[in-house]
Amino acid sequence: MIDLMFTEEQEMFRKAAREFAETSVAPHVAKMEETGRMSDELIRALGEAEMMALTIPEEYDGLGLGYTARLIALEEIGRVSAATALTLQVFALGVAPITMFGDEEQKKKYLPGLAKGERLATVGVTEATGGSDPKSIRTSYRKVGGDYVLTGRKCFITNSHIADTITILARGEENPDLFTCFIVESGVEGFKPAHEEHKMGMRGCNTGWLVLEDCRIPGENLLGEEGRGLRIAMSAIGEVGRAGMVGCALGLHTACLEASVKFAKERILYGEPISNLQMIQNKLAEMKIDLEAGRLLGYRATSMQDKGMRASNELAAAKYFTTEAAQKAAKMAVDIHGAYGCMEEYPVSRYLRDSFLVGASAGTSDIMKVIVARWALE
Amino acid sequence: MLRIAVCVKAVPDPKEATRIKIDPVTRTLLRRDVPLVTNHLDRNAVEAAVQLKEELDAHVAVISMGPPPAETIVRECLALGADEGILLCDQAFGGADAFATAYSLAKGIEKMGGFDLVLCGMASSDSGTEWVGPKIGALLGIPVVTAVREIVERDGRSWKVKASLENGYRLVRVRLPALLTVTRELNTPRALSFSGIVSARKKEITEWGINDLGVQEEAVGLRGSPTITANLTIMNGKDSKRAVEMITGTREEAAERLVEKLAAAGML
Ligand SMILES: Cc1cc2nc3c(=O)[nH]c(=O)nc-3n(C[C@H](O)[C@H](O)[C@H](O)COP(=O)(O)OP(=O)(O)OC[C@H]3O[C@@H](n4cnc5c(N)ncnc54)[C@H](O)[C@@H]3O)c2cc1C
């Protein structure tokens, strides 16, 4: 018989994550909205709460708890601050190419620092010429002696200005069909974060450009083999990046529902709370049904991953469903609040802005459908 | 080695207070539908014990009396750093008042073997008698200091503690073995951590019923409880009407009138 219950331990993870989110993340939200920046204090707190260690194996100082525990943590943090959840999810996305494809030396060098939050990771795939179509990127590399020299420009990169351990996808200067991944450390000459984006939502989560100008990195920073770069980047995004977006979306969705229920119970019209109105109940029911369904899709996919199975198709379906549902839920939450929902004093206006950013990150809904259709047609 | 026993109670989550109902017959709390959490002040007691363990050679056991779901809060205490857990769990323990609770816990602590220090939260958030701790101490025949807010000095087995009074504190010297009830000023309880939860996997929780404790059924639970709740009324926000009265005059006059009124209403 299939078991769809969380274990006692997983419930405890949720409690720990909720406690952390409510006491250590929530106080930073207002400032993040105002400045668009995340404080060092919050990043440090994420590290101290072992949030960066969840998916890193124990032998490299991580907790090795896998993807269900991570989804629980992201969901709880996303419920309080989707921007913090997105930042955190991309730290793990940045770790994934190293845990999945790195050699022993690379794992020993990077993973312990990443687990403690002393190092921060991201992945740079997207460029102006290629988001959904990563084969159209232009960043190139050439071999010089034992080193590699990279040149190009990445955009929309989460944690661009705070990450120091970055997986970059580039293509061969001589043979452009050769896509390859490299680990680039932020201090290296020829590398610099450039323009910082001013986003409509997820404020406080840093997004920006990375510029590589004749950036020379040692040969040992080649990740996996030459020519395997697309597979490495796409596996990390497909298995870890998408699962992370599911966590952000589920957390955001929960926040929308909770705020709506609270408001509907308190707002009195016609002499009684509007939660008694069928029209309002209809919206609440839709939000609840989508949330329940989304959680089933997401946790089924992560439990497959925790059993050592691939789940990129299941995660594409889950990412499509949960991010679309979060957007619908955010709109309904604003609607339920009437004019109050349009005021920045109420968190639902932030939820609505944030909900539009869970769409494109880690692949658009259209691309998720392309993947799911391929799965259906298999 | 300092052996510490910490008494912890699973209480209905105070954040869900509106969902707590009262059994009309037994007039006890119906906890069924409300999630249970560790009583807040007990987290301070656990924290104190774990801090002592970090400084000294100590063994921390938590003991709780409660229904099977209370195991979760015992496990949580293990995740926070305690070494072992005891759950007193038996139908017969149900409906216990402060006396029967203290009696059962004291029996449990005796069965655990020797101990040097027993820590309790000063009060529970659901019953709030502040009585269980001192009664356990009395039953165990050891000195008790209530409302401890600081451990000032440890000189072997002679400890000096600061105990809160309404408008000040007492400095008390107490000799171990002793029982202390603690206030929230004592420390800031650490957060539950993922690695703590993982480390609790290897720690054991033992369950004891009345036979394990060797106590009579009449001595525990509802039957062993001398307290009878005569009446209980749930204050319902909807039914209670608020009276508004504006007090006019100068600030001083208004303040004086307010004090008079509050005193007349028995609120001062
Ligand atoms: C908040 C945020 C964080 C991000 N973080 C990162 C990061 O850390 N690292 C990184 O590398 N990238 C990151 N990205 C980039 C993200 O991966 C891309 O935005 C995404 O892949 C889409 O690419 P694009 O924006 O260039 O849109 P385009 O690819 O230009 O798409 C434009 C439109 O065409 C549609 N479309 C494209 N192809 C198809 C198709 N085959 N069939 C049907 N419709 C199609 C799309 O759905 C979309 O509607 C981030 C983006 C955001 C918004």
Side-chain angles (χ1 to χ4, degrees):
Chain A
M1 191 49 197
I2 146 175
D3 187 0
L4 294 174
M5 303 295 285
F6 288 112
T7 63
E8 187 193 6
E9 186 174 79
Q10 286 166 339
E11 293 288 5
M12 232 192 294
F13 287 151
R14 185 176 296 284
K15 194 167 176 185
R18 178 164 295 202
E19 228 175 77
F20 169 74
E22 289 180 348
T23 57
S24 303
V25 179
H28 293 275
V29 171
K31 194 82 189 213
M32 283 163 64
E33 285 299 302
E34 190 191 313
T35 62
R37 292 226 159 80
M38 183 177 288
S39 67
D40 293 344
E41 188 192 337
L42 178 52
I43 294 173
R44 219 175 306 121
L46 288 165
E48 281 163 11
E50 307 164 317
M51 290 297 157
M52 278 84 136
L54 301 179
T55 56
I56 296 179
E58 281 168 289
E59 62 261 46
Y60 305 105
D61 296 352
L63 291 174
L65 289 174
Y67 292 101
T68 301
R70 170 183 183 241
L71 188 55
I72 290 171
L74 284 174
E75 198 187 348
E76 288 303 325
I77 291 171
R79 172 178 165 270
V80 167
S81 164
T84 307
L86 178 57
T87 304
L88 182 62
Q89 100 88 350
V90 176
F91 289 150
L93 167 61
V95 164
I98 304 176
T99 52
M100 293 161 103
F101 301 95
D103 61 31
E104 194 51 36
E105 289 305 304
Q106 290 166 338
K107 288 181 183 175
K108 276 198 195 129
K109 179 169 179 196
Y110 296 110
L111 294 180
L114 289 165
K116 291 188 204 82
E118 292 161 3
R119 282 180 176 273
L120 303 173
T122 189
V123 167
V125 173
T126 306
E127 297 183 15
T129 50
S132 306
D133 176 17
K135 283 188 183 151
S136 297
I137 62 162
R138 289 193 181 151
T139 296
S140 65
Y141 72 90
R142 63 175 193 276
K143 211 164 175 174
V144 179
D147 297 344
Y148 294 95
V149 177
L150 276 65
T151 297
R153 204 170 264 254
K154 299 283 173 186
C155 63
F156 302 135
I157 306 306
T158 305
N159 302 336
S160 52
H161 290 57
I162 58 174
D164 48 29
T165 308
I166 305 159
T167 299
I168 294 280
L169 178 69
R171 63 198 308 175
E173 209 172 270
E174 279 165 29
N175 178 2
D177 290 334
L178 221 50
F179 288 89
T180 303
C181 280
F182 300 93
I183 304 172
V184 177
E185 294 187 46
S186 62
V188 68
E189 207 182 327
F191 171 91
K192 72 166 192 291
H195 174 67
E196 208 175 339
E197 300 290 354
H198 184 69
K199 302 190 296 303
M200 69 186 284
M202 298 283 192
R203 291 180 58 75
C205 170
N206 157 241
T207 315
W209 297 4
L210 299 177
V211 176
L212 300 125
E213 266 172 305
D214 286 327
C215 174
R216 188 168 180 144
I217 56 164
E220 71 229 28
N221 283 23
L222 168 72
L223 193 54
E225 291 158 33
E226 264 190 273
R228 302 259 290 164
L230 269 179
R231 192 176 118 72
I232 293 172
M234 289 307 129
S235 299
I237 293 170
E239 296 284 336
V240 180
R242 271 169 212 149
M245 292 322 296
V246 171
C248 297
L250 289 175
L252 188 56
H253 195 139
T254 306
C256 291
L257 179 58
E258 286 179 1
S260 300
V261 166
K262 180 170 185 289
F263 185 85
K265 282 183 174 173
E266 286 169 1
R267 174 69 169 156
I268 308 287
L269 290 177
Y270 319 105
E272 49 187 320
I274 61 168
S275 57
N276 290 349
L277 299 172
Q278 276 191 4
M279 289 288 195
I280 300 291
Q281 289 183 3
N282 181 49
K283 289 192 176 76
L284 295 177
E286 277 188 32
M287 285 160 89
K288 179 83 178 158
I289 291 165
D290 279 355
L291 180 60
E292 292 293 316
R295 295 182 87 207
L296 284 173
L297 284 171
Y299 285 104
R300 176 176 133 77
T302 58
S303 66
M304 285 172 67
Q305 290 179 304
D306 288 344
K307 289 194 170 73
M309 298 158 77
R310 287 196 53 191
S312 54
N313 287 334
E314 286 77 3
L315 282 166
K319 197 221 168 224
Y320 172 83
F321 186 87
T322 55
T323 57
E324 290 286 326
Q327 281 181 21
K328 271 187 259 166
K331 179 182 181 298
M332 283 192 270
V334 170
D335 289 344
I336 288 171
H337 280 67
Y340 300 97
C342 310
M343 306 300 151
E344 289 289 344
E345 286 91 332
Y346 282 79
V348 288
S349 60
R350 163 165 62 95
Y351 302 158
L352 186 68
R353 289 186 285 101
D354 287 351
S355 76
F356 279 87
L357 280 109
V358 291
S361 327
T364 65
S365 281
D366 294 322
I367 294 299
M368 293 310 105
K369 277 190 168 169
V370 170
I371 296 169
V372 174
R374 206 188 299 140
W375 182 25
L377 289 167
E378 252 171 21
Chain B
M1 183 170 57
L2 191 74
R3 282 156 311 168
I4 309 172
V6 189
C7 302
V8 297
K9 181 180 185 184
V11 296
D13 189 347
K15 281 192 236 139
E16 307 276 345
T18 51
R19 280 163 61 187
I20 300 172
K21 306 228 162 36
I22 289 166
D23 186 314
V25 182
T26 63
R27 298 192 185 89
T28 50
L29 295 181
L30 284 176
R31 298 189 166 88
R32 251 188 328 242
D33 301 331
V34 191
L36 295 174
V37 296
T38 310
N39 179 45
H40 273 43
L41 292 175
D42 300 349
R43 285 269 295 250
N44 295 91
V46 172
E47 178 63 31
V50 174
Q51 282 184 13
L52 285 166
K53 189 181 126 178
E54 283 165 353
E55 269 182 61
L56 311 162
D57 180 24
H59 176 86
V60 179
V62 291
I63 178 164
S64 183
M65 185 184 86
E71 196 209 305
T72 314
I73 69 126
V74 175
R75 179 74 57 197
E76 197 177 292
C77 294
L78 299 182
L80 290 167
D83 298 298
E84 67 164 309
I86 310 279
L87 181 64
L88 304 184
C89 191
D90 198 312
Q91 287 280 344
F93 290 131
D97 69 357
F99 179 84
T101 304
Y103 175 73
S104 309
L105 286 170
K107 285 289 176 196
I109 294 169
E110 271 172 7
K111 186 176 162 67
M112 277 158 54
F115 57 86
D116 305 290
L117 181 65
V118 182
L119 294 172
C120 300
M122 185 184 77
S124 61
S125 60
D126 56 350
S127 316
T129 65
E130 300 183 22
W131 205 77
V132 172
K135 184 68 197 172
I136 294 172
L139 289 167
L140 295 172
I142 56 175
V144 172
V145 186
T146 56
V148 171
R149 70 177 199 213
E150 193 185 327
I151 296 171
V152 183
E153 191 186 291
R154 292 186 318 253
D155 182 5
R157 296 181 76 77
S158 170
W159 289 20
K160 191 152 80 175
V161 300
K162 213 181 248 189
S164 288
L165 293 172
E166 257 153 48
N167 45 14
Y169 62 84
R170 297 174 293 154
L171 265 180
V172 183
R173 193 167 276 288
V174 62
R175 176 158 279 281
L176 303 190
L179 182 144
L180 311 179
T181 77
V182 308
T183 69
R184 71 189 162 82
E185 288 79 18
L186 183 64
N187 53 41
T188 308
R190 71 195 58 200
L192 199 55
S193 73
F194 279 54
S195 58
I197 294 167
V198 172
S199 72
R201 281 177 189 166
K202 294 189 225 82
K203 299 176 185 173
E204 248 181 83
I205 297 179
T206 314
E207 241 183 70
W208 286 336
I210 53 167
N211 294 334
D212 301 298
L213 295 190
V215 295
Q216 299 300 312
E217 210 170 328
E218 303 76 58
V220 298
L222 194 60
R223 290 173 69 188
S225 297
T227 318
I228 296 163
T229 311
N231 200 3
L232 257 182
T233 319
I234 296 190
M235 300 296 285
N236 187 332
K238 265 192 204 149
D239 304 337
S240 55
K241 294 264 179 299
R242 282 185 201 172
V244 178
E245 189 186 332
M246 296 304 294
I247 302 174
T248 51
T250 66
R251 261 189 243 167
E252 289 75 13
E253 284 166 9
E256 232 165 80
R257 293 275 313 281
L258 177 64
V259 171
E260 275 167 27
K261 279 176 181 295
L262 290 174
M267 291 166 93
L268 290 182

